[in-house]
Amino acid sequence: MTGSCAHRPGADPVSRRNLLMVLASGAVLVACSENLATGRSQFAVVPDEALVQMADQAWSDVKGQSARSPDAAQQARLERVGRKIVAASGRSDLDWEFVVFDGPQINAFVLPNGKVGAYAGLMDFVQDDDELAGVLGHEVGHILARHSAERVSQELAVQVGVGVVTAVLSNGEYGQYAGEIAGALGMGALYGVILPYSRQHELEADSVGVGLAQQAGMDPAGAVRFFERMAAEGAGKTQPPEVLSTHPADGPRLAALREAVAALGRV
């Protein structure tokens, strides 16, 4: 993991609104560094401590609103495979927790504080531990790649940029159109920056995840089998155009995933 971007020592922890105020005031020193998990430069001005604090509250909310699955075997399986992936990741500094929530969704999620949730529908859908390792490797991959920090930083930067442009326009000859222009800029940032980065994040998490699965002693091709069956489940259903989606289309995603597994020498 690369170090996080510098931030003001002793800054109060943080709601998204406070983060926005800090960023706008220039108190955060913008530092882009290369992320070792992805190999690319990353803009992430939000400190990890702030994300963990927000994630703690989010996790508490999820557990308060979603019932835990009564299936003890599923809970044990998620914990067992998840711990293998965590050991491979090297992120023993986080207080990891794995919970199966009751629900038919074929889905899992991770928070930047190391909390991982999976739904009973996913646990029923995976055919073996290798497939589950592919899913959990993807989720832990988001943490290694610091995608949460990058995504929140992008959203805050867009808010600050649009606010500055609005203020400037309000004092000029286009003042009466300031709101409309700022809104258009915001939409441009969403579709031109934030959503493409979100799609890139998913591909990066796939790539990092298969590497973690292999390091954990699992078959990384399990991820390919899982997503092939997921794609088959969605075949024939109406999907939004990729440009309007937070996730890459199934075809390109599977191609990239197969390439990532092939690069590990485990086709």
Side-chain angles (χ1 to χ4, degrees):
M1 289 291 292
T2 57
S4 61
C5 295
H7 62 286
R8 182 178 59 181
D12 293 333
V14 298
S15 64
R16 289 172 65 92
R17 180 180 178 184
N18 288 337
L19 279 172
L20 180 60
M21 292 173 63
V22 170
L23 185 60
S25 70
V28 176
L29 302 178
V30 177
C32 291
S33 57
E34 182 177 338
N35 184 286
L36 297 181
T38 63
R40 67 172 173 83
S41 182
Q42 188 172 53
F43 169 70
V45 299
V46 180
D48 288 338
E49 312 87 79
L51 289 173
V52 167
Q53 187 179 51
M54 289 188 286
D56 285 345
Q57 182 59 55
W59 183 243
S60 178
D61 291 344
V62 170
K63 290 201 296 184
Q65 297 167 8
S66 302
R68 186 173 179 136
S69 170
D71 191 326
Q74 285 189 344
Q75 294 282 353
R77 184 186 187 194
L78 182 69
E79 179 90 16
R80 173 171 48 81
V81 177
R83 293 293 173 186
K84 290 182 179 181
I85 297 297
V86 167
S89 76
R91 289 302 309 270
S92 58
D93 55 304
L94 294 176
D95 183 20
W96 292 92
E97 185 177 356
F98 299 86
V99 174
V100 179
F101 292 104
D102 201 16
Q105 303 95 312
I106 304 176
N107 199 14
F109 64 90
V110 67
L111 298 176
N113 56 354
K115 311 304 183 186
V116 179
Y119 290 93
L122 171 76
M123 302 303 294
D124 289 334
F125 186 78
V126 292
Q127 293 185 331
D128 53 43
D129 285 356
D130 292 322
E131 289 192 6
L132 182 57
V135 174
L136 296 179
H138 172 95
E139 299 303 334
V140 176
H142 279 304
I143 288 184
L144 294 189
R146 297 196 71 229
H147 287 154
S148 293
E150 188 171 26
R151 182 69 178 272
V152 173
S153 297
Q154 291 165 0
E155 292 176 350
L156 292 175
V158 167
Q159 291 180 44
V160 171
V162 171
V164 169
V165 169
T166 302
V168 171
L169 290 174
S170 296
N171 294 321
E173 60 179 304
Y174 300 106
Q176 60 181 320
Y177 306 113
E180 289 82 354
I181 295 174
L185 287 172
M187 291 298 289
L190 173 65
Y191 292 117
V193 178
I194 292 176
L195 289 183
Y197 263 104
S198 181
R199 293 192 291 274
Q200 181 181 21
H201 289 173
E202 292 303 305
L203 294 175
E204 287 177 347
D206 283 348
S207 180
V208 174
V210 295
L212 289 174
Q214 185 183 56
Q215 292 174 48
M218 315 296 284
D219 180 8
V224 175
R225 295 194 298 272
F226 173 82
F227 283 108
E228 283 175 341
R229 293 193 300 110
M230 283 290 291
E233 281 280 309
K237 297 179 182 178
T238 302
Q239 303 288 340
E242 186 176 35
V243 71
L244 300 180
S245 175
T246 58
H247 285 61
D250 289 338
R253 183 177 190 179
L254 276 169
L257 190 57
R258 293 186 186 109
E259 183 177 347
V261 172
L264 296 174
R266 295 285 296 275
V267 182

